[in-house]
Amino acid sequence: MTAPFEQTDDSVVVIIGTGAGGGVLANELAQKGVSVVSLEAGGRYLPEDFINDEWESFGQLAWTDPRTTSGDWRVAKDFSGLPAWIVKAVGGTTTHWAGASLRFQEHEWKAATTYGEVQGANLLDWPIDAAEMAPWYEKAETKLGVTRTGGRPGLPGNNNYKVFEKGAKALGYSEVHTGRMAINSEDYDGRLACQQTGFCFQGCKWGAKWSSVYTDIEYGEATGNLEVRERCHAARILHDDSGKVTGVEYFDADGNLQMQAARIVCVAGNSFESPRLLLNSASSMFPDGLANSSGQVGRNYMRHMTGSVYGVFDKPVRMWRGTTMAGIVQDEAKHDPSRGFVGGFELETLSLGLPFMAAFLDPGAWGREFTTALDGYENMAGLWIVGEDMPQETNRVTLNHDVTDQFGLPVVNVHFDDHPNDVAMRNYAYEKGMAIYDAVGATRTFPTPPYPSTHNLGTNRMSENARDGVVNKWGQTHDVANLFVSDGSQFTTGAAENPTLTIVALAIRQADHIAREMSAGTL
Amino acid sequence: MQKSASSGQAHRGLTRRQLLSRASAAGASFVVGAGFIAAPDAAWAAETVALKPGSFATLVQMARDIYPHDHVSDEYYVIAVRGYDSAEAAEGIEAGIAALDAAAQGRGHASYLAVSWERERVDILRAMEDSPFFQQIRGGLVTGLYNQKAVWPLFGYEGESFSEGGYIDRGFDDIAWL
C-alpha cells in the first residue's frame, strides 16, 4: 500500500517530521492526490508497542539526542541536556501529548495590538485571525474527535479532577469542566473510548487519544500517495542557483547520507529541529541559513509560561488513575492587566507517576522536606499551569558548533530567560493553584517549577512583513517560495492554549493552500 | 520519639546504622543488617565486589540520608546503590566516601557512619552537596530508588493498569471524602 518514490523524483513534496504538523500535512496532501515523502528521524511505535512505565517509555520515545542550554530558566540547571520533553518517533509528540485541544481566543491572534507595548517583548500580531481560522479549527476538531465540540460529549472526571473541581468552584471559578480533549469519550473514527488507564504521556495503548501515528499517517499511506521513511534524519535542504529548494539530504537508518529530490519542502521537526535544519542548510547564497534574511530564524523561542501545583491531603486521591489531563479552569485565560501581567493562563489537572514525581517535583532537592512530600504521594492532587509567555528576540535557538550529534551535525543551544511578565503570571498562577487545593483542605502544597518544555513555539515565526519573521500567513517562507514551515515554530505568539489543535488546523489549511497552488502551477 | 542522642537509639539495641558501622569496623564482608539477611532474595546482600564493605555500608547510609523514607527498608537503598560496587566505579566512590569520613572526622566523629543523628549527617552532606560525588549519588538515586517497581506499593503507587483494563471499572472516580 505504501508508495515508494524514487529519490530522483522531483515531483514529490518532502515533509520533515510526522507529528501534529507534518503528519497531518502529509495525510491531507496525500488525500488530495499529491505525492509525499515524509522523513522521520525516529522509529514507528504503535499502541501495542507503547510502554506504561515512565522511564522505560521515555527511553523508547523521547528525543534524547544531545542539545545544550543557557539562560536563567531552571531547566538549564536541572536538565541542562534536555531542554524539551518531546518525542522522536513516527507521530512525533502526538504520542506524548495530553490531548487538550483548545482554540485560541480571538484577542490572542492580535497580541501586539491587544497588549500594547511590553518592554523587552517582541510582540507581533499574527497575519491571520479568529474568523480566518474558525473553519480550519472545526476541521481539526472533527479530525481529532475533540470532546465538547461537534456534539461530542465530555469525558467523565477522575479523582484528580474531582478535587480540582471542588476547589476551583469554592474559589468562585465558573469555567470548570473536563476539558476539550482529543481523547474519545465514546468510540470515534474506529478508535475506542477512553478506558481511564492513565499513562496518556506514554502513548495511549487503547488508541483512544488521537495521535498521528495511527490515524493520519496510516490514512495517508492507504492512499498510495505517501511514503514515510523512518529513522531518516534530515541534515540539509538543498537549493539551486535561483534560490528554490530542490531536495533534502538525510542520513538513513544505517547512517548513510542520502538525497531525496523535491518540488516543495515542508519543515515540521518541532521548534528546535526546524530552525536547526534551516541554519544547518546555510550556503554561499544563504550564508545565515535558509529563509533567514530577516535574522529571525531561531529567535522568539516560546515555551509557554508553565509550572505545576501539587497538593497533599489527609486522605487518598490516587491522581494517577484515569486521564492525565482530566479537567480545566478557564476563568484566568482572559486578558486582564489588573492582575499585573498581560495575557492569561489555563489551569489543567496533571498527574505524574511516582518515578517522574521524584524527578520533577523539585529537581535537585533532597532531605526530609522533599521525601515527606513523596510520602504523601497517594494523597496528592496535581495541576499544570499553561499561559502565554512573551516572545523575546534573545530567547533563541542557535547552532552550537562545539557539540555535534551522531551524524557530526552541530546541535542546538536553547537559550531562555523568563520575561518579567512570565514571572508575574507564574507567581499569580501558583497562588491560585495553591488556593484551589487549600480550599479542599490540603495540608501542604507545592509550587513546582516548569518541566523540560513540551510546548516549543515560535522559532520560525509567521509575520505579515518579511523583516519581522520567517514565514507568511500560509507558513511559506518569505525568502524561498517552495519552502514551508508546518509546525509550532511558525507561531507568532503562543496564546494561553495548548498548541496542538492550532498546529493541526494550520496544517490542514496549509495543505489546502499548497495543493491549490500546485494545481495552479504557481508552486 | 527519641529523647536524646545517647538514649533514644541505644534503648532499642543496635540500630541499623550501628550494625553497619560495626560491620565496617570488623571488616566484615556482609554490610547488611539482620532485617534483610533474612530476605529470601539475598542477591543484594552478597559480598561486595570492588568496594570495601565499610564503604558500601557508608554509601547505603548516605543514600538513606539523602532520600529518607522511614517506611522503606534498607534493602531498597542497597539495590539503589548496588551498581557502584563495580571495578569501574569503585575508585571514585572510595574517594568520595573518604571525603565523607574526613568531613565527619573534622567534626570529631570516627567516621560518617559513627555520626548518630541524621541531622548532623545531613549537615555534612549539605556542606558537600555541590561536589560531583554527592551529585552522582543523589542523581543516581532518583531512578535507582524511585524507579524500583517493588518500592511503588510502599507509596501507594499502582503502576500500569492496562493489563487490568484501566480504571474505568476499578475506581478512577471513587473518591468519597470530598
Side-chain angles (χ1 to χ4, degrees):
Chain A
M1 199 102 72
T2 296
F5 293 102
E6 297 289 334
Q7 288 185 318
T8 52
D9 185 345
D10 60 6
S11 71
V12 302
V13 175
V14 174
I15 301 175
I16 296 148
T18 58
V24 168
L25 178 66
N27 178 35
E28 293 287 322
L29 287 174
Q31 297 295 333
K32 296 173 194 293
V34 176
S35 299
V36 177
V37 172
S38 286
L39 301 177
E40 168 52 55
R44 188 180 304 228
Y45 306 97
L46 293 168
E48 58 268 32
D49 305 315
F50 296 149
I51 304 165
N52 282 0
D53 175 293
E54 290 178 314
W55 282 116
E56 210 179 324
S57 173
F58 187 84
Q60 179 188 51
L61 298 174
W63 187 294
T64 53
D65 292 0
R67 286 168 174 155
T68 61
T69 48
S70 57
D72 71 9
W73 56 329
R74 191 167 155 181
V75 168
K77 173 175 173 283
D78 297 324
F79 304 100
S80 61
L82 190 77
W85 177 3
I86 54 179
V87 171
K88 183 179 187 176
V90 177
T93 307
T94 65
T95 56
H96 165 71
W97 77 309
S101 301
L102 306 170
R103 297 186 183 198
F104 278 21
Q105 302 165 81
E106 188 165 357
H107 70 268
E108 289 173 327
W109 296 102
K110 304 296 169 191
T113 300
T114 308
Y115 305 156
E117 179 70 21
V118 177
Q119 195 176 5
N122 194 23
L123 283 168
L124 190 68
D125 289 346
W126 287 67
I128 51 180
D129 58 21
E132 162 71 23
M133 288 304 295
W136 306 105
Y137 269 137
E138 189 175 340
K139 288 178 196 292
E141 287 164 348
T142 303
K143 177 190 286 288
L144 273 51
V146 178
T147 60
R148 286 199 173 79
T149 72
R152 289 170 286 270
L155 286 158
N158 65 0
N159 290 336
N160 199 23
Y161 173 71
K162 287 183 166 181
V163 173
F164 173 81
E165 179 191 51
K166 183 160 185 187
K169 289 190 170 167
L171 288 195
Y173 287 134
S174 60
E175 295 175 65
V176 187
H177 55 80
T178 58
R180 289 188 282 282
M181 304 294 293
I183 297 176
N184 291 345
S185 53
E186 48 192 28
D187 294 0
Y188 184 80
D189 193 25
R191 294 181 288 110
L192 280 176
C194 176
Q195 303 297 301
Q196 300 290 337
T197 300
F199 293 95
C200 299
F201 288 169
Q202 283 70 32
C204 179
K205 288 189 74 67
W206 303 102
K209 180 184 80 179
W210 178 84
S211 169
S212 63
V213 65
Y214 45 75
T215 57
D216 281 72
I217 294 297
E218 290 186 355
Y219 303 156
E221 287 174 333
T223 65
N225 297 322
L226 168 62
E227 178 189 356
V228 177
R229 289 189 200 147
E230 300 159 26
R231 301 184 191 278
C232 287
H233 185 108
R236 190 160 65 119
I237 300 170
L238 306 175
H239 65 81
D240 61 19
D241 292 342
S242 75
K244 294 187 77 173
V245 296
T246 56
V248 179
E249 282 185 343
Y250 63 94
F251 289 96
D252 67 16
D254 299 320
N256 297 315
L257 190 63
Q258 306 283 353
M259 200 281 286
Q260 173 63 52
R263 177 173 171 180
I264 294 168
V265 173
C266 302
V267 182
N270 212 313
S271 290
F272 298 161
E273 294 306 309
S274 289
R276 179 189 183 206
L277 182 59
L278 297 179
L279 295 171
N280 269 332
S281 300
S283 65
S284 53
M285 192 175 199
F286 300 113
D288 297 325
L290 267 182
N292 196 23
S293 67
S294 65
Q296 293 290 307
V297 170
R299 292 188 184 272
N300 311 303
Y301 168 57
M302 296 171 286
R303 59 183 305 258
H304 270 146
M305 185 292 294
T306 69
S308 303
V309 175
Y310 294 94
V312 170
F313 299 85
D314 60 346
K315 298 185 187 70
V317 177
R318 303 188 181 100
M319 65 176 169
W320 62 86
R321 291 185 178 184
T323 317
T324 303
M325 196 163 275
I328 191 166
V329 169
Q330 300 204 271
D331 298 66
E332 300 281 6
K334 61 186 181 286
H335 170 58
D336 172 9
S338 73
R339 294 174 296 181
F341 50 86
V342 300
F345 61 91
E346 315 272 357
L347 299 168
E348 301 169 344
T349 79
L350 188 77
S351 70
L352 297 176
L354 182 74
F356 274 12
M357 188 60 73
F360 295 117
L361 177 66
D362 188 4
W366 58 279
R368 285 195 185 265
E369 183 183 2
F370 178 77
T371 56
T372 53
L374 290 182
D375 286 340
Y377 176 75
E378 191 174 13
N379 296 5
M380 252 184 211
L383 63 82
W384 194 55
I385 303 158
V386 52
E388 179 161 11
D389 61 341
M390 290 293 105
Q392 301 178 73
E393 271 205 320
T394 49
N395 283 347
R396 188 176 180 194
V397 170
T398 54
L399 296 180
N400 182 343
H401 291 278
D402 297 329
V403 182
T404 54
D405 67 7
Q406 60 270 40
F407 306 112
L409 300 168
V411 307
V412 292
N413 182 71
V414 182
H415 181 93
F416 188 88
D417 299 315
D418 274 320
H419 186 278
N421 196 77
D422 307 343
V423 175
M425 188 192 291
R426 181 178 295 116
N427 289 338
Y428 180 93
Y430 275 151
E431 280 181 28
K432 294 298 181 185
M434 291 190 290
I436 283 174
Y437 291 137
D438 286 342
V440 219
T443 55
R444 204 171 158 193
T445 53
F446 308 93
T448 296
Y451 312 125
S453 316
T454 50
H455 299 173
N456 298 282
L457 306 166
T459 53
N460 294 303
R461 73 176 183 177
M462 189 182 281
S463 64
E464 185 72 49
N465 295 313
R467 66 173 183 274
D468 296 328
V470 179
V471 300
N472 67 15
K473 66 178 183 174
W474 302 108
Q476 180 182 34
T477 63
H478 289 300
D479 296 353
V480 182
N482 64 338
L483 175 62
F484 287 76
V485 174
S486 315
D487 58 17
S489 70
Q490 63 187 316
F491 277 33
T492 310
T493 52
E497 291 74 24
N498 311 56
T500 298
L501 183 75
T502 302
I503 294 171
V504 169
L506 287 171
I508 299 171
R509 176 174 169 275
Q510 187 181 68
D512 194 64
H513 175 75
I514 288 174
R516 193 168 57 242
E517 296 294 308
M518 287 176 80
S519 297
T522 50
L523 266 180
Chain B
M1 299 269 275
Q2 294 172 346
K3 289 189 285 288
S4 75
S6 60
S7 66
Q9 297 190 343
H11 282 169
R12 299 195 305 271
L14 282 175
T15 64
R16 168 193 36 74
R17 182 186 48 74
Q18 288 164 321
L19 273 170
L20 296 175
S21 182
R22 175 169 294 188
S24 168
S29 307
F30 288 86
V31 297
V32 293
F36 44 97
I37 279 175
D41 176 8
W44 42 264
E47 293 179 25
T48 56
V49 175
L51 289 175
K52 294 179 205 162
S55 300
F56 191 73
T58 305
L59 201 54
V60 172
Q61 182 64 59
M62 179 185 178
R64 189 177 263 296
D65 291 336
I66 293 173
Y67 290 125
H69 294 285
D70 297 339
H71 67 296
V72 175
S73 75
D74 277 352
E75 65 179 284
Y76 304 105
Y77 291 91
V78 169
I79 292 168
V81 297
R82 178 55 95 199
Y84 298 117
D85 181 25
S86 68
E88 311 82 71
E91 192 182 351
I93 297 298
E94 291 289 4
I97 297 298
L100 200 56
D101 281 336
Q105 285 153 13
R107 290 165 176 261
H109 300 282
S111 66
Y112 184 77
L113 280 179
V115 180
S116 300
W117 279 95
E118 177 182 314
R119 185 183 62 235
E120 198 174 350
R121 293 193 301 275
V122 165
D123 285 346
I124 292 169
L125 294 176
R126 282 280 168 219
M128 65 184 296
E129 71 176 336
D130 291 330
S131 69
F133 171 66
F134 179 89
Q135 287 302 329
Q136 176 190 10
I137 303 302
R138 189 205 61 74
L141 282 169
V142 174
T143 48
L145 181 63
Y146 298 109
N147 204 34
Q148 289 180 48
K149 284 190 170 66
V151 165
W152 296 350
L154 305 179
F155 291 85
Y157 180 51
E158 298 170 292
E160 71 88 24
S161 71
F162 176 75
S163 63
E164 298 181 75
Y167 293 105
I168 192 156
D169 299 318
R170 298 190 313 117
F172 78 100
D173 61 349
D174 65 357
I175 196 163
W177 56 263
L178 272 174

